[in-house]
Amino acid sequence: MRKYTYDYLIVGSGLFGSTFAQIMNGNGKKCLVIDKRGHTGGNIYTKEENDIKIHWYGAHIFHTDNEEVWHYINKFTKFNNYINSPLAYSEGKLYNLPFNMNTFNKLWNVNTPEEAKHKIQEQCSKYKDISQPANLEEQALKLCGDDIYYTFIKEYTEKQWGRDCKDLPSFIIKRLPVRFTYDNNYFNALYQGVPIGGYTEMVNKMLDGIEVNLNVDYLEDRDLWNNIAQTVVYTGPIDAFYKYCFGALQYRSVRFETELLDIPNYQGNAAVNYTDSETPWTRIIEHKWFEFGKNEKGEDIPRTVISRELSSEWKLGDEPYYPVNDDFNNSLYFKYKELSDKERNIIFGGRLAEYKYYDMDAVIAAALDMCEKEL
């Protein structure tokens, strides 16, 4: 029987790969983690500059109702109980998100849930004849009516996806978080927060005692890497793994304009969405507010860092962020999945390998399930 150097080669040090490696290492399996980037953590990487932990690939707020996942991740960090309460900027006004009584009060000057419900039902009634919405626009109008759609959804969504709402599938907006309470807690999850010390510190604790090689591209020399481990856990793009033999899956990408400002407070909130078409960015993140504006000594941070997020069409070489899960791409992914299902000793996991949008807790849950199968 062939003897391998490692039991598992984990390609990618994001949450799926790091969780898998940590569990397997804890069960006596010898693991090697490699990553083509120069840092661990994948897209949850946080980089500290000027006492501010910058969410390098966009804002990440951990939230879950999954007790098993919460118990697991708290072995490696404590969370600061940050509550995600974003704002939406439209025509010079700021509104609370998700849509709740604070939003409706400012939008319509209503004060009671009954008044707000009546307003929405009145506007939705114009679209009651749409039994099967053919696109995102019809779906949104049927769910929330004209004012919410045209103020908050239409232009923001078209910036985000680079397509007219009439050309986007209805399932993107099957549900809208509409609350008839004065509650700005976006996720409303049982557990929520940002890791004290940052995500990078959390991931590095998960990988403690495990061999990690950075700046290594598995796909450039896969024969070498496949020969050193009994099983490969691949968390990269599944179409890249198969050399795009059926064509490239589509994504939306994001470009960040990050700026250090010599002022203590730029927008007074961690996240502000810009819902108009005139503003080129979709939102501005002010990173210090994920830590309540304090450094690790509990002192106020005198400066601030903001990141403007600009959505863009993905092309080969860009960073893939959001899978475009329409019929065309889902059909294309299924072809790649059929190939992956035939592989022996290769596990595909995570958002890129499975071509799906994952919340962080769901990534961890999927990795824990995979480990259970392996063990």
Side-chain angles (χ1 to χ4, degrees):
M1 185 175 178
R2 182 172 179 179
K3 187 171 176 64
Y4 292 95
T5 307
Y6 301 94
D7 295 302
Y8 292 95
L9 169 73
I10 295 97
V11 181
S13 63
L15 266 181
F16 189 97
S18 295
T19 301
F20 188 96
Q22 192 279 324
I23 294 289
M24 287 305 181
N25 180 66
N27 280 275
K29 304 296 183 181
K30 190 174 183 182
C31 298
L32 170 64
V33 176
I34 63 174
D35 201 300
K36 69 177 183 179
R37 290 171 172 169
H39 59 74
T40 57
N43 280 9
I44 64 170
Y45 170 66
T46 46
K47 181 179 182 181
E48 184 164 334
E49 293 182 355
N50 300 285
D51 270 354
I52 299 168
K53 294 175 182 67
I54 300 168
H55 293 223
W56 204 252
Y57 300 95
H60 286 83
I61 299 98
F62 194 89
H63 56 98
T64 189
D65 291 312
N66 187 318
E67 295 273 359
E68 180 188 12
V69 167
W70 183 247
H71 176 74
Y72 171 76
I73 202 63
N74 271 268
K75 296 175 183 177
F76 312 103
T77 190
K78 295 298 178 188
F79 289 85
N80 65 6
N81 200 34
Y82 170 83
I83 301 298
N84 189 32
S85 304
L87 298 169
Y89 177 93
S90 176
E91 296 183 348
K93 295 180 181 179
L94 288 167
Y95 300 87
N96 292 105
L97 295 175
F99 308 134
N100 68 73
M101 286 305 300
N102 288 308
T103 322
F104 307 143
N105 173 265
K106 194 161 190 177
L107 186 63
W108 296 316
N109 197 32
V110 298
N111 297 314
T112 69
E114 280 305 310
E115 289 176 302
K117 285 179 183 178
H118 176 75
K119 193 76 176 177
I120 292 173
Q121 288 167 359
E122 181 183 58
Q123 294 195 4
C124 288
S125 66
K126 293 162 56 178
Y127 305 100
K128 62 183 179 182
D129 292 336
I130 301 175
S131 57
Q132 294 293 328
N135 52 55
L136 186 149
E137 178 162 293
E138 289 186 359
Q139 180 73 61
L141 288 168
K142 185 176 175 65
L143 285 172
C144 64
D146 295 282
D147 287 348
I148 292 175
Y149 175 67
Y150 287 109
T151 304
F152 302 112
I153 297 172
K154 177 178 168 57
E155 294 177 14
Y156 180 84
T157 303
E158 289 177 349
K159 280 195 295 187
Q160 182 81 6
W161 291 99
R163 292 160 175 80
D164 191 291
C165 285
K166 294 186 181 73
D167 298 325
L168 289 167
S170 61
F171 70 78
I172 292 178
I173 203 162
K174 277 268 168 95
R175 291 182 298 167
L176 277 172
V178 175
R179 299 180 190 153
F180 297 99
T181 58
Y182 289 89
D183 180 9
N184 300 323
N185 182 347
Y186 192 87
F187 293 122
N188 208 24
L190 183 60
Y191 305 110
Q192 185 174 170
V194 172
I196 296 171
Y199 285 101
T200 300
E201 183 177 297
M202 178 190 84
V203 169
N204 287 342
K205 286 180 180 176
M206 295 171 74
L207 296 173
D208 186 42
I210 299 169
E211 189 177 346
V212 178
N213 287 352
L214 302 176
N215 297 304
V216 173
D217 191 338
Y218 164 80
L219 295 178
E220 287 185 355
D221 202 354
R222 69 175 82 193
D223 290 338
L224 167 70
W225 296 110
N226 289 347
N227 285 324
I228 67 171
Q230 184 172 343
T231 302
V232 173
V233 179
Y234 179 78
T235 70
I238 190 170
D239 53 351
F241 184 90
Y242 289 108
K243 302 179 181 178
Y244 306 102
C245 63
F246 300 124
L249 291 162
Q250 295 176 324
Y251 292 86
R252 290 296 289 174
S253 193
V254 182
R255 180 168 58 86
F256 299 94
E257 295 178 350
T258 298
E259 188 177 354
L260 171 66
L261 302 175
D262 199 20
I263 56 173
N265 191 350
Y266 177 76
Q267 63 187 19
N269 203 53
V272 177
N273 293 2
Y274 285 76
T275 65
D276 61 298
S277 59
E278 288 76 26
T279 307
W281 48 85
T282 53
R283 66 176 175 175
I284 296 178
I285 301 301
E286 189 168 5
H287 300 267
K288 68 188 292 183
W289 300 123
F290 294 121
E291 314 281 343
F292 310 111
K294 306 283 186 181
N295 64 19
E296 291 188 1
K297 296 178 182 178
E299 302 164 335
D300 289 334
I301 301 171
R303 294 191 285 181
T304 194
V305 173
I306 63 168
S307 293
R308 300 177 185 89
E309 298 187 9
L310 295 99
S311 182
S312 61
E313 197 73 17
W314 177 85
K315 61 184 183 301
L316 284 176
D318 292 343
E319 196 63 50
Y321 281 89
Y322 303 106
V324 182
N325 289 118
D326 56 16
D327 291 340
F328 170 80
N329 283 286
N330 288 340
S331 175
L332 188 58
Y333 165 68
F334 185 72
K335 292 180 180 179
Y336 285 117
K337 188 176 187 307
E338 283 185 317
L339 292 182
S340 71
D341 288 342
K342 297 172 184 174
E343 298 284 356
R344 296 182 59 195
N345 302 324
I346 299 181
I347 294 168
F348 292 80
R351 66 183 183 93
L352 297 177
E354 298 179 63
Y355 194 65
K356 66 188 291 187
Y357 181 82
Y358 262 126
D359 284 330
M360 287 182 282
D361 63 327
V363 175
I364 293 171
L368 293 175
D369 287 346
M370 186 60 70
C371 289
E372 189 175 334
K373 291 174 184 174
E374 286 292 292
L375 293 169

